[in-house]
Amino acid sequence: MSREPSGLTCRGDSLALSGCLDAASVPALWRFSEQKLSQCVGREVSMDLTAVDRVDSAGLALLVAWVRLAKKRQVTIRFLNAPRQLLALASANRLEHLAFMLGDAGERDAARA
């Protein structure tokens, strides 16, 4: 497997993203995750978004692509601690049905205050 891209920490079937989830970071994250999800067939993978500071439409598109790829590879994917910005983007793009996968930002945002 290739080296973890900047902003991603991988421990077993758990991944933690940090920093910006945007057009600049998406290509490297996609390449790495494609390989990672291929190794997790039939298992659950969690992606912790606690340390994501900024997300744009490319970041949202990456999460949607991860959901599709996971389904194709028979992997259950869970996004934990999604930032409010991501939830707002999902809602603005009529992707509210993904909200249940994105976890609750309230506790994480309260801890940052």
Side-chain angles (χ1 to χ4, degrees), residues 93-107:
N93 287 282
R94 297 184 176 181
L95 295 171
E96 294 92 348
H97 61 281
L98 291 178
F100 76 96
M101 300 171 94
L102 294 175
D104 180 30
E107 287 184 26

Side-chain angles (χ1 to χ4, degrees), residues 31-47:
R31 284 189 299 274
F32 180 82
S33 62
E34 217 176 2
Q35 295 172 7
K36 178 66 178 169
L37 291 176
S38 294
Q39 297 175 350
C40 296
V41 173
R43 299 195 316 249
E44 180 175 306
V45 172
S46 64
M47 295 195 182

Side-chain angles (χ1 to χ4, degrees), residues 6-93:
S6 178
L8 178 72
T9 304
C10 183
R11 289 195 178 95
D13 291 344
S14 297
L15 297 110
L17 295 166
S18 62
C20 295
L21 189 55
D22 59 12
S25 64
V26 163
L29 290 169
W30 173 251
R31 284 189 299 274
F32 180 82
S33 62
E34 217 176 2
Q35 295 172 7
K36 178 66 178 169
L37 291 176
S38 294
Q39 297 175 350
C40 296
V41 173
R43 299 195 316 249
E44 180 175 306
V45 172
S46 64
M47 295 195 182
D48 189 353
L49 307 174
T50 300
V52 172
D53 297 325
R54 193 174 72 76
V55 62
D56 67 12
S57 58
L60 176 60
L62 177 64
L63 270 59
V64 171
W66 279 340
V67 169
R68 288 181 179 157
L69 180 62
K71 186 175 181 179
K72 192 179 205 181
R73 302 270 164 84
Q74 300 175 0
V75 173
T76 301
I77 191 167
R78 302 230 187 272
F79 298 106
L80 308 173
N81 305 306
R84 289 191 188 279
Q85 184 183 18
L86 178 58
L87 297 172
L89 269 173
S91 179
N93 287 282

